[in-house]
Structure formats: structure tokens, C-alpha cells
Amino acid sequence: MERKISSVAVIMGMTAIILGAFGAHALKKQLTVEELVTFETGVKYQMYHSLFLLFLGLTSLVTEKSKKMIFQLVIFGVIFFSGSIYLLATKTITGIDFKPLGIITPIGGTLLILGWIVLLWNILKDKR
């Protein structure tokens, strides 16, 4: 499980850097300042949670069962949160109104928070 979590963390981090560079260079002329800031928020949260998963893959403070749960919460959280933000921020380029997808942004945020809560719970209950 550790290898899987760490590998996904690295891929998420790498794609966050690629998307950040894409936003800073290719999208800079295409998006408004507000849309670009929104896009960058998605990139930041993706990067934060790639580092979170990297930690998760390397720590012994969390049970295997909890690692799996946190991993799933974070993966779906990033897809829902950052993914919906990417789509919402680029609607002027795509011409597609993704506003109905806006409801999944807070769902993604909630999943990310739950991942952190499960981590905290595991750390607090550790008796070492």
C-alpha cells in the first residue's frame, strides 16, 4: 500500500507542477486574473495533498486500513475539489458552463478534511 500511495503522491505532485506551469504561461493570456487565481487554488490544493499522501505513504503512525481510507478520501477529494475548480476556472476557454459542477467542489473539500481527521484520529490513538 505504501508504494501505491507514494507513487500516486508523486504523480499528483508532478501533474500539479505541470498544471501550475500551464496556468502561469499558456492560460495567462486566456483567463481573467480572477479565473487564473481560481485555477491556481486548485493547483495549490492538489500539491498540498500530494505532499500529504507522500507523508501518509511513509509514516508508521497510521494503520493499513486507515491508510487505505485516507488515500481514497484524498484521491476523490482532489478530483472533486481541484478538478471542479480547473473546469470552473477555464469555462471561458472551453465555452462550457460547468457551474452545475460547482456543487462537487465543497464535497471534495469535505472529503479532504475527512482525510485529515482520520489521520489525526490515528495519531491520537497511537499508544507508542
Side-chain angles (χ1 to χ4, degrees):
M1 190 70 186
E2 285 81 9
R3 181 176 290 204
K4 179 180 182 179
I5 293 171
S6 297
S7 296
V8 170
V10 170
I11 292 167
M12 275 179 46
M14 182 177 59
T15 57
I17 292 169
I18 292 167
L19 287 169
F22 180 69
H25 299 289
L27 296 179
K28 190 174 187 178
K29 296 175 182 160
Q30 305 290 325
L31 302 179
T32 66
V33 172
E34 184 178 316
E35 290 168 333
L36 198 52
V37 168
T38 300
F39 189 87
E40 289 172 358
T41 298
V43 171
K44 285 183 208 172
Y45 276 78
Q46 182 175 334
M47 180 56 81
Y48 297 154
H49 287 87
S50 69
L51 296 172
F52 177 61
L53 287 179
L54 191 58
F55 167 78
L56 182 67
L58 299 173
T59 189
S60 62
L61 296 171
V62 180
T63 65
E64 287 300 310
K65 183 179 176 184
S66 291
K67 280 186 179 188
K68 185 175 181 178
M69 181 188 307
I70 294 168
F71 178 67
Q72 291 172 346
L73 287 167
V74 171
I75 291 299
F76 286 108
V78 167
I79 290 169
F80 288 2
F81 184 83
S82 293
S84 65
I85 285 178
Y86 298 144
L87 293 174
L88 290 166
T90 57
K91 68 182 172 198
T92 56
I93 296 172
T94 63
I96 302 170
D97 183 16
F98 292 106
K99 232 177 190 148
L101 288 179
I103 189 65
I104 66 171
T105 307
I107 293 170
T110 302
L111 294 174
L112 294 173
I113 292 166
L114 288 172
W116 285 95
I117 290 170
V118 174
L119 175 64
L120 176 62
W121 176 255
N122 273 261
I123 291 170
L124 293 176
K125 75 176 188 171
D126 187 29
K127 301 290 185 210
R128 283 184 274 175

